Amino acid sequence: MNIGIIGGGAIGLLCASYLSQHHNVTVFTKRNEQAEEINTTGIKRTVKGETCRAAAHAQTGITGIFDLLIVTVKYHHLQEVLDELSTLPRQRILFLQNGMAHLLDLENWKTAHSLYIGVVEHGAMKVSDHAVDHTGIGVIKWGAFHHEDTADMRKLLKEVPADFQMIYTDEWQKVLEEKLLVNVCINPLTALLHVKNGELITNPSYEYMMKCACEEALSILGLPEKERLWSHIVSICQKTAANQSSMLQDIVKGRQTERKAIVGYLLKKAQAQEILAPHLTFFNRSLEVLEKKQTKSFE
Amino acid sequence: MNIGIIGGGAIGLLCASYLSQHHNVTVFTKRNEQAEEINTTGIKRTVKGETCRAAAHAQTGITGIFDLLIVTVKYHHLQEVLDELSTLPRQRILFLQNGMAHLLDLENWKTAHSLYIGVVEHGAMKVSDHAVDHTGIGVIKWGAFHHEDTADMRKLLKEVPADFQMIYTDEWQKVLEEKLLVNVCINPLTALLHVKNGELITNPSYEYMMKCACEEALSILGLPEKERLWSHIVSICQKTAANQSSMLQDIVKGRQTERKAIVGYLLKKAQAQEILAPHLTFFNRSLEVLEKKQTKSFE
């Protein structure tokens, strides 16, 4: 099958590296240098200390018809990708963004494409323009965005390597919400406090602040099972205690964070329901201040 | 009378400018250029749109005997000043620091000097090395640190201009605590959120966070009259709605903030009493992160 992967970040490279074992993969990158590097040297993937190299074609500019297109760009680059996709013939497109803000954009997108949503539960870190570390083996859970047919997709996505399972679920919304909840509890705090994930539960003051954020998010999302979900968040802090969250990494490296996709989305939902979310409002604004300091565009 | 003023910041220049109307004033600055500038051009003070110029002698290196020495440096420069003062003959010294951290340092200071504490309720902004804006006319309330005699000081401090009253109080500790409470509610939040004082009460989420900080500070300081004090804080936000807090100004200008004197002091007191203060802990740490970003020494 022919699979197109849009975006050459950690998740884009991870998908390309695994899926190229059974499929013809084309990677669409933003920068020409990255496309050339992938075409010359292939994609290097390191997992459990072992390294392997996969061949993939790469190019800039999204064109062609594929059995499946996978969009891996971050939310703050999604809109430009949607504009490009609008010019393509009708095909299947799987969206792998973090947070839930992209659902609102897809809802408003007038398109004939068949849309699918996926939730990535892998850990991955981009090492260079052609190399990715698979730091945590998980799965990708996916489902149809509206009422798209899933039979062909299910068949297609059975042919994947053992360390890169693609699991169909009709409860993807719930999976996405729980991942968002974890993200909104861990990411902003670790970025603002400049601490690793584990410190959020070893420092009682930080844990209290995380609990405040959790309660606001639970009420905005209207999620039941509050105790189970809080235990889930704590267990993720334990399992990833030595990790720097993606948002902390973004701040340290001076990159734009996924603030809008994560906190921004929840604040929009809060406003629509007239729910006051002071801690999330505070995190959102002070992250914005910290980001602007970073890029030196602040005053 | 001979008055020595240590520090050439906004409060140092303000004191020198007013007190030189009735007394001989020597200003001790850190940098030689500032001393030279003051010696050449005097000190320019602007108040209610009018400008006047006062003559004062300035120099680096603290020496001599004075009827009164006034220490106006910020808390994070206090220790080096105390070391210099230790070498001087016994005299009266008035300390005008913000926050309350300096009380702990003075408590531990083995000295024969007579120590007095003052609380500055003026608004002042340093315009240049020899110019200060008196943006808000208040008073300085002062008292004896331990059991120092106050008769001579009271007599001395009667001879001051109308816009620069020095008022004796034996309740200076209470005055200092209430000022600290206001500072800890307004300063960290405005600095982290990059907003003017008024926004802390026009945005309900920010007001909620200020209330959280207020409650923690009230409990650490063991202050009664919680409603009156909260109303007092809100009224200060109203009166100074268009102002940038000093901590926000420090962050914007890349200067060290008075974090340690204000939040740091309260957190030490909280720890000693085993009180959990999650919001103040969070403010303290994220201010530290923001300060370090500022000076580019962060990672």
Side-chain angles (χ1 to χ4, degrees):
Chain A
M1 302 265 199
N2 291 317
I3 297 182
I5 292 171
I6 300 169
I11 299 304
L13 292 176
L14 193 75
C15 289
S17 142
Y18 278 110
L19 294 176
S20 65
Q21 291 181 23
H22 299 89
H23 306 280
N24 287 325
V25 166
T26 301
V27 182
F28 296 101
T29 65
K30 200 168 192 173
R31 290 170 299 108
N32 204 34
E33 307 87 75
Q34 184 178 19
E36 280 172 13
E37 208 174 306
I38 292 171
N39 285 327
T40 313
T41 58
I43 296 168
K44 201 176 108 180
R45 178 184 78 228
T46 308
V47 56
K48 298 180 224 161
E50 275 179 37
T51 295
C52 54
R53 206 170 282 272
H57 170 68
Q59 64 174 79
T60 59
I62 307 166
T63 51
I65 303 189
F66 296 85
D67 296 296
L68 176 63
L69 266 173
I70 305 180
V71 181
T72 69
V73 300
K74 287 197 168 161
Y75 173 67
H76 43 263
H77 294 122
L78 183 64
Q79 199 53 58
E80 49 200 280
V81 169
L82 293 188
D83 293 343
E84 278 200 76
L85 290 172
S86 290
T87 66
L88 297 197
R90 180 177 173 158
Q91 51 200 299
R92 297 187 201 98
I93 311 180
L94 172 63
F95 290 88
L96 296 187
Q97 282 59 49
N98 262 330
M100 290 178 76
H102 60 298
L103 302 184
L104 303 176
D105 296 75
L106 294 182
E107 207 64 71
N108 294 324
W109 191 31
K110 286 179 182 55
T111 182
H113 295 305
S114 300
L115 309 184
Y116 304 87
I117 301 289
V119 189
V120 180
E121 299 185 350
H122 292 280
M125 217 167 77
K126 184 175 172 173
V127 177
S128 76
D129 266 354
H130 73 282
V132 61
D133 269 7
H134 193 180
T135 53
I137 295 169
V139 299
I140 291 177
K141 292 179 182 155
W142 68 275
F145 182 53
H146 280 138
H147 305 288
E148 290 83 357
D149 178 61
T150 58
D152 286 356
M153 274 279 278
R154 291 201 216 197
K155 216 166 132 189
L156 175 73
L157 293 175
K158 260 185 191 150
E159 277 185 274
V160 288
D163 285 351
F164 199 74
Q165 293 291 301
M166 307 276 285
I167 294 169
Y168 172 80
T169 173
D170 52 13
E171 290 204 304
W172 58 266
Q173 177 118 14
K174 194 182 162 197
V175 178
L176 214 50
E177 282 174 343
E178 291 195 8
K179 191 178 179 193
L180 176 65
L181 180 72
V182 172
N183 279 337
V184 85
C185 286
I186 297 180
N187 274 341
L189 272 169
T190 49
L192 290 169
L193 297 166
H194 202 284
V195 296
K196 292 183 174 167
N197 296 357
E199 217 171 312
L200 295 185
I201 47 171
T202 54
N203 182 319
S205 286
Y206 297 169
E207 191 181 13
Y208 178 91
M209 294 299 283
M210 184 160 77
K211 192 89 197 245
C212 292
C214 180
E215 273 164 18
E216 291 177 9
L218 284 168
S219 122
I220 294 166
L221 292 168
L223 294 180
E225 303 182 281
K226 301 193 176 191
E227 279 87 40
R228 178 185 72 78
L229 288 168
W230 174 250
S231 304
H232 176 56
I233 293 161
V234 170
S235 79
I236 300 235
C237 288
Q238 281 162 342
K239 272 183 220 155
T240 62
N243 291 9
Q244 291 200 337
S245 78
S246 61
M247 207 174 263
L248 172 55
Q249 289 179 46
D250 287 340
I251 287 288
V252 167
K253 289 179 184 152
R255 296 185 300 228
Q256 196 174 350
T257 73
E258 293 188 293
R259 179 176 61 81
K260 285 180 189 166
I262 295 170
V263 203
Y265 169 81
L266 284 172
L267 289 177
K268 263 191 197 164
K269 291 232 357 163
Q271 208 171 10
Q273 300 171 82
E274 294 186 14
I275 294 174
L276 202 65
H279 289 81
L280 298 186
T281 303
F282 177 84
F283 294 167
N284 187 55
R285 174 67 186 166
S286 42
L287 275 173
E288 194 181 17
V289 170
L290 196 58
E291 275 177 32
K292 281 180 181 164
K293 284 272 176 267
Q294 202 78 12
T295 54
K296 283 142 205 148
S297 69
F298 197 57
E299 285 232 350
Chain B
M1 304 266 198
N2 292 317
I3 296 182
I5 291 170
I6 300 170
I11 298 306
L13 292 177
L14 193 75
C15 289
S17 140
Y18 278 109
L19 295 176
S20 65
Q21 291 181 21
H22 300 88
H23 306 279
N24 287 326
V25 166
T26 302
V27 183
F28 296 101
T29 64
K30 199 167 192 174
R31 290 170 298 109
N32 203 36
E33 306 88 76
Q34 184 177 18
E36 281 172 13
E37 207 173 305
I38 292 172
N39 286 326
T40 314
T41 58
I43 296 169
K44 202 176 107 179
R45 178 184 77 229
T46 308
V47 57
K48 298 180 224 159
E50 275 180 37
T51 296
C52 54
R53 206 170 280 272
H57 171 68
Q59 63 174 80
T60 58
I62 308 165
T63 52
I65 303 189
F66 296 85
D67 297 296
L68 176 62
L69 266 174
I70 304 180
V71 181
T72 68
V73 301
K74 286 197 169 162
Y75 173 66
H76 43 265
H77 294 122
L78 183 63
Q79 199 52 60
E80 49 201 279
V81 170
L82 294 188
D83 292 343
E84 278 202 76
L85 291 172
S86 291
T87 67
L88 297 196
R90 180 174 171 160
Q91 50 200 298
R92 297 188 201 96
I93 312 180
L94 172 63
F95 290 88
L96 295 186
Q97 282 59 48
N98 262 329
M100 291 177 77
H102 60 299
L103 303 184
L104 303 176
D105 296 74
L106 295 181
E107 206 66 69
N108 294 324
W109 191 30
K110 285 177 184 54
T111 182
H113 296 305
S114 300
L115 309 185
Y116 303 87
I117 301 289
V119 190
V120 180
E121 299 184 350
H122 293 280
M125 217 166 77
K126 185 175 171 172
V127 177
S128 76
D129 266 355
H130 72 281
V132 61
D133 269 7
H134 193 179
T135 53
I137 295 170
V139 298
I140 291 178
K141 293 179 181 154
W142 68 276
F145 182 52
H146 280 135
H147 305 288
E148 289 83 358
D149 179 64
T150 59
D152 285 357
M153 274 279 279
R154 291 202 215 197
K155 214 167 132 190
L156 174 73
L157 293 176
K158 258 186 192 150
E159 277 186 274
V160 288
D163 285 351
F164 198 75
Q165 294 293 300
M166 307 275 286
I167 295 169
Y168 172 79
T169 173
D170 51 13
E171 288 204 306
W172 58 265
Q173 177 118 14
K174 194 183 160 195
V175 179
L176 214 50
E177 282 175 343
E178 290 195 8
K179 189 177 180 196
L180 175 65
L181 180 72
V182 172
N183 280 336
V184 85
C185 286
I186 296 179
N187 274 341
L189 271 169
T190 50
L192 290 169
L193 296 166
H194 201 284
V195 296
K196 292 185 174 166
N197 296 357
E199 215 171 313
L200 295 185
I201 49 171
T202 54
N203 182 319
S205 286
Y206 298 168
E207 191 181 14
Y208 178 91
M209 294 299 282
M210 183 160 78
K211 192 91 197 245
C212 292
C214 180
E215 275 164 18
E216 290 177 8
L218 284 169
S219 123
I220 294 166
L221 292 168
L223 294 180
E225 304 182 280
K226 301 193 174 190
E227 278 86 40
R228 178 185 72 79
L229 288 168
W230 174 249
S231 304
H232 176 56
I233 293 162
V234 170
S235 79
I236 299 237
C237 288
Q238 279 161 342
K239 272 183 219 155
T240 62
N243 292 9
Q244 291 200 337
S245 78
S246 60
M247 206 173 263
L248 172 56
Q249 288 179 47
D250 287 341
I251 286 288
V252 167
K253 288 178 185 152
R255 296 185 301 228
Q256 194 173 350
T257 73
E258 293 189 293
R259 178 176 60 82
K260 284 180 189 168
I262 295 169
V263 203
Y265 170 80
L266 284 172
L267 289 177
K268 265 191 197 163
K269 291 234 350 166
Q271 207 170 10
Q273 299 170 82
E274 295 187 11
I275 293 175
L276 201 65
H279 289 82
L280 298 185
T281 304
F282 177 85
F283 293 167
N284 189 54
R285 174 67 186 165
S286 42
L287 276 172
E288 194 182 14
V289 170
L290 196 58
E291 276 177 31
K292 282 181 180 162
K293 283 274 176 269
Q294 202 78 15
T295 55
K296 284 146 205 144
S297 69
F298 196 57
E299 285 230 351

